[in-house]
Amino acid sequence: MTKKLIVLGYFLCSMITIAQTYKPVDTADYIQRKAFLKNFEGNNEVTVKRLKSQYSGKTGTELSKIYKEFGTDFEKQVKNKDFIFKSEFEASIHSMIQRLKKNNPKVPQDLKILIAKDNTPNAYCLADGTFVINMGLYSWLNNEEQIAAVIAHELGHKIEEHSLKTFLKIIQQDELDKVVVDNIKSTTTSRSHSQNQKAFDILKNRVYKKGVERRQSEMQADSLGYAIFKNSDFKKAEFVNALQRLQDFDTISPRALKVETYKKLFNLPQQAFNEKWMKKEDFSLYNYNFYKEKLNKDSLASHPEISRRIEMLKKTFAELKTPADPEKPTDLFVALKKTARMEILPNYFHSEDYGLGIYTAMQFLQDEEEEKYYKSWLGKCFSKIYEARKNYNLNRYLDRIEPKNQSESYQQFLNFMWNLSLDEIKNIADFYQANETLAKVN
């Protein structure tokens, strides 16, 4: 959820005007989904058989199990309409990949494209050549060149088979750990602090080693990805510009919600605003420094700091040392960027992040953006929150307060939401849903 919150930082920093008659992207693509699933299932079976024959014994068995489980999980995501087919996004990505294939024979020729209804700026490539692009890349990056840079980086992972290598190392490490654990048991007659410490040291060393290997993979994917990128007809400096934009994703914070925004949105004709809703839980007596960190977070990080990645690229490729302003986006990119922005609420709703959907809608409404559109989503999300509260499963859709990991603004929002009674939530939901119905009639 923390990453999802960070996404808001950029989305809410600028105003983009779109007609209030905007309709969410249509996911009534049953025929395309059915065809994709049929091909994916067949391709995954071929991959599993190939790995089982390529790696004998337990390694082959474990690998085939991993890829079978992954395939099953991915198919569920497709059936859940987590992806969209035959869209302008797909055409845009296909055009970029065609450009990346120029002078790059290592780039797989059978890449298939899927656009994910996900607001985080990310992409990944599957074993069968399915390339997944999150819609959030269009909201976050500045132009097609930067999206192509992200794709090139992921192609670096694909060409080097980093995922497969990671799985192989995990299987190998599991076997080594079992031997060490058996040795600990045989040399210790009773369960003691010493035995527990030895076991923890095994875990710690394994996690640290995994972190180092994954950071090395990221650096390698950067170098190979840039080599692919510069061999094509993209502007070289945009590879670094893309990384700098992704660094913003890790550091930027969303603007705070004002108390006046709560009062404006929730002082209703049938339910006056109650100051008690804004009461905060006091965490000042909690001593969060009492327990020392047993694992070093820097050693656990799977992605090295982007500043280090940029530094390494500039050190390796001299032409990247000279900074350049971002290229001007095409009209198609601008249109897709606007669409991606308007899909933020539908995407959160689809992923059942109803609490975050309310928080996001309030941010947009505070900026006076598309009032009718975002008020309608406010009503939809509150309606789902009401159902969850009534069924005693609100924790599934609304975060608990974590002072160390959340901004002051988001903590205030969560206090507000948890302070509302069941009837008060229903009144808010009914009000905004009634307004949506009235707006449609008019």
Side-chain angles (χ1 to χ4, degrees), residues 39-298:
N39 289 330
F40 178 81
E41 183 179 356
N43 290 337
N44 200 54
E45 286 180 2
V46 170
T47 300
V48 169
K49 289 180 181 178
R50 175 175 60 81
L51 291 172
K52 202 165 185 179
S53 63
Q54 186 176 351
Y55 299 92
S56 59
K58 189 170 183 179
T59 298
T61 301
E62 289 296 318
L63 274 178
S64 62
K65 180 180 178 182
I66 289 172
Y67 278 90
K68 279 181 181 178
E69 290 178 351
F70 178 83
T72 300
D73 181 66
F74 191 75
E75 288 171 22
K76 288 180 181 178
Q77 294 179 47
V78 176
K79 292 175 181 177
N80 192 46
K81 299 184 180 180
D82 290 355
F83 308 97
I84 58 176
F85 296 81
K86 300 298 181 183
S87 67
E88 289 183 323
F89 288 99
E90 182 180 342
S92 172
I93 298 297
H94 180 74
S95 174
M96 293 178 208
I97 290 178
Q98 289 301 113
R99 291 170 67 184
L100 287 170
K101 286 180 178 179
K102 293 180 180 178
N103 305 317
N104 288 303
K106 287 187 177 181
V107 175
Q109 297 299 309
D110 59 343
L111 294 175
K112 295 166 284 294
I113 301 165
L114 276 185
I115 307 300
K117 291 178 63 63
D118 191 317
N119 295 325
T120 54
N122 199 12
Y124 56 93
C125 195
L126 309 183
D128 75 321
T130 298
F131 215 111
V132 178
I133 308 292
N134 285 1
M135 201 178 290
L137 276 175
Y138 278 84
S139 294
W140 196 263
L141 300 181
N142 296 318
N143 52 47
E144 294 92 335
E145 311 261 337
Q146 292 179 11
I147 290 183
V150 174
I151 294 173
H153 170 89
E154 295 303 326
L155 285 173
H157 282 305
K158 169 67 176 173
I159 293 169
E160 290 296 326
E161 294 190 315
H162 284 151
S163 294
L164 174 59
K165 291 175 181 177
T166 297
F167 293 146
L168 286 170
K169 287 175 181 176
I170 290 173
I171 293 169
Q172 181 184 29
Q173 191 63 49
D174 280 341
E175 291 301 309
L176 293 174
D177 288 349
K178 288 177 182 177
V179 173
V180 176
V181 170
D182 287 340
N183 288 337
I184 291 175
K185 290 179 179 179
S186 65
T187 57
T188 309
T189 56
S190 62
R191 190 167 184 83
S192 62
H193 172 74
S194 176
Q195 185 179 4
N196 289 336
Q197 185 60 47
K198 287 180 181 179
F200 178 77
D201 286 343
I202 293 173
L203 170 64
K204 182 172 67 174
N205 291 334
R206 176 177 177 177
V207 171
Y208 285 175
K209 182 180 178 182
K210 184 178 179 182
V212 170
E213 291 169 349
R214 292 185 68 179
R215 288 196 295 273
Q216 290 173 342
S217 295
E218 288 301 317
M219 294 287 196
Q220 190 178 24
D222 279 340
S223 294
L224 181 53
Y226 176 66
I228 293 170
F229 190 78
K230 77 171 186 175
N231 285 343
S232 305
D233 57 355
F234 295 101
K235 302 294 183 182
K236 297 180 181 64
E238 290 295 354
F239 197 91
V240 170
N241 288 342
L243 285 175
Q244 289 172 336
R245 286 299 300 135
L246 294 175
Q247 187 173 28
D248 290 341
F249 174 75
D250 290 332
T251 58
I252 199 168
S253 298
R255 293 197 306 279
L257 278 176
K258 301 174 183 177
V259 174
E260 290 75 15
T261 300
Y262 288 89
K263 292 181 177 179
K264 180 180 179 180
L265 293 174
F266 304 117
N267 186 29
L268 310 179
Q270 303 300 323
Q271 181 173 278
F273 184 82
N274 190 336
E275 294 289 346
K276 292 182 180 179
W277 294 340
M278 305 301 289
K279 183 180 178 180
K280 297 181 182 178
E281 187 173 351
D282 184 10
F283 290 93
S284 62
L285 299 178
Y286 288 67
N287 183 5
Y288 291 101
N289 297 318
F290 183 79
Y291 297 100
K292 293 183 179 180
E293 295 283 352
K294 287 191 173 185
L295 296 174
N296 185 290
K297 291 181 180 178
D298 290 335

Side-chain angles (χ1 to χ4, degrees), residues 24 345-346 349 361 372-382:
L345 264 295
F349 192 83
K372 290 181 181 179
Y373 182 74
Y374 289 113
K375 282 185 175 180
S376 71
W377 282 107
L378 202 61
K380 293 173 184 176
C381 289
F382 261 106

Side-chain angles (χ1 to χ4, degrees), residues 396-410:
R396 288 180 55 187
Y397 311 106
L398 186 66
D399 290 341
R400 283 292 186 179
I401 300 171
E402 300 177 20
K404 290 184 69 176
N405 300 319
Q406 297 163 340
S407 67
E408 289 286 339
S409 176
Y410 192 58

Side-chain angles (χ1 to χ4, degrees), residues 8 17 198 233 333:
L8 298 180
T17 303
K198 287 180 181 179
D233 57 355
F333 181 86

